[in-house]
Amino acid sequence: LEITAVTVRDPGRETAKVEISRSTDEALWGHADRLHLSGIDGSLLGRQIESAPPAAATYRIMRILHEIKFAGPGLRWMVFLMGLGSCAVIATGTVLWGVKRRLRHARELVGRPQGPLPTLRAYGVDCFNVAVIAGIGFASTSYVLANRLLPVGATGRAEWEVAVFFLSWLACGLWALGKPLVQWRRYGSEPEARRAIRSLWSRLWTASAAMALVLLIVDQTETGGTMAALGRGDGIVLAIEATIVVVVFAMAFAAYRSSRPAWSEARRT
């Protein structure tokens, strides 16, 4: 158990008491407590076992499960890879659902006058998927880049980092959803729309890969990065650096594949 707070009540009086709050991230629930000590001789007056309303207990359990501080490096990497796999399943399922919806709405547009709003209704889900899936990579790297570049003593530094994340993600969404509104003539047919949406994917993945590459360069110049971590044997920083390199290549490959026709289309041609 780690001491998280020490509270002195009625200091300088015979009724003085000291409360010591203890907690741990090694267990999901039930191991934290609060010790009540005499402020005169330090004797133990009582111990209060951890208790909280259901909402607070749920929050604590979910936070510890999310941070998995109780796990060793091997289990943490396993959970990380499982999380990546889950994200891939969700992303691919969302994209396939968007493709099915796109085909149905493209058939409904045949023979009807087109314009910005009908085009957005037909292809907005595909563009939104681009913003959510590829945009999260851009926003995440922007968030870490802000962590590297913002002055350490800046007021509200943590809030600015969060603001950079959401503003970057919002910019991706506005850009992706604005394309069919501005270039609606480019979506005149389903094949043309497919090529336009592939272009959206490719450009945003390229921007995300470029942002991750900038993050890697800034990390080397601002903190010493890989060489400094090697010098002090910091395995955590080295793992982060290696992960960023993998992310750069993964996003670059996604940008390349997005610019090419799907394998099923290539076989037909």
Side-chain angles (χ1 to χ4, degrees):
L1 293 176
E2 296 181 358
I3 296 176
T4 57
V6 177
T7 304
V8 180
R9 302 187 184 279
D10 298 331
R13 300 181 181 179
E14 294 183 357
T15 57
K17 294 181 181 179
V18 179
E19 293 182 359
I20 300 178
S21 299
R22 304 189 301 177
S23 183
T24 178
D25 288 330
E26 298 295 324
L28 295 180
W29 186 255
H31 285 246
D33 61 9
R34 180 178 296 175
L35 302 179
H36 300 273
L37 307 177
S38 170
I40 305 299
D41 56 11
S43 59
L44 180 63
L45 300 178
R47 179 187 178 210
Q48 182 180 348
I49 303 297
E50 181 177 35
S51 62
T58 302
Y59 168 78
R60 170 176 162 79
I61 291 172
M62 295 304 296
R63 178 183 64 81
I64 294 177
L65 285 175
H66 176 71
E67 297 175 353
I68 56 172
K69 293 182 178 179
F70 55 86
L75 182 56
R76 288 191 180 189
W77 275 109
M78 184 181 298
V79 173
F80 174 71
L81 294 176
M82 290 172 64
L84 288 181
S86 300
C87 291
V89 170
I90 295 171
T92 52
T94 303
V95 170
L96 290 174
W97 178 79
V99 170
K100 183 179 179 181
R101 185 182 184 279
R102 180 210 309 165
L103 294 173
R104 176 166 60 86
H105 283 271
R107 287 193 293 267
E108 294 175 357
L109 283 176
V110 175
R112 296 184 180 182
Q114 296 188 23
L117 291 181
T119 302
L120 183 63
R121 284 196 297 268
Y123 305 112
V125 169
D126 285 282
C127 297
F128 186 74
N129 286 341
V130 174
V132 171
I133 297 172
I136 190 68
F138 184 86
S140 298
T141 49
S142 299
Y143 171 81
V144 182
L145 190 60
N147 174 267
R148 295 293 188 270
L149 296 178
L150 288 174
V152 176
T155 303
R157 186 174 185 271
E159 289 76 11
W160 275 109
E161 292 174 4
V162 175
V164 167
F165 173 83
F166 283 108
L167 289 174
S168 301
W169 207 0
L170 177 62
C172 294
L174 293 176
W175 175 79
L177 292 173
K179 282 290 186 177
L181 287 174
V182 177
Q183 301 178 344
W184 60 271
R185 290 182 178 86
R186 190 180 178 187
Y187 295 75
S189 66
E190 200 280 328
E192 293 175 351
R194 192 188 314 130
R195 287 192 289 271
I197 293 169
R198 279 204 305 265
S199 176
L200 292 180
W201 281 106
S202 179
R203 291 182 180 183
L204 194 46
W205 279 126
T206 300
S208 300
M211 185 65 74
L213 183 60
V214 170
L215 170 62
L216 189 64
I217 295 172
V218 169
D219 198 51
Q220 302 302 314
T221 56
E222 293 291 324
T223 66
T226 305
M227 298 308 297
L230 283 173
R232 62 178 181 269
D234 194 333
I236 295 178
V237 173
L238 290 174
I240 293 174
E241 298 287 334
T243 302
I244 295 176
V245 172
V246 172
V247 166
V248 170
F249 280 100
M251 289 181 174
F253 177 76
Y256 167 75
R257 272 307 312 167
S258 300
S259 66
R260 310 294 299 171
W263 283 291
S264 58
E265 297 177 38
R267 286 198 300 268
R268 287 198 298 268
T269 57

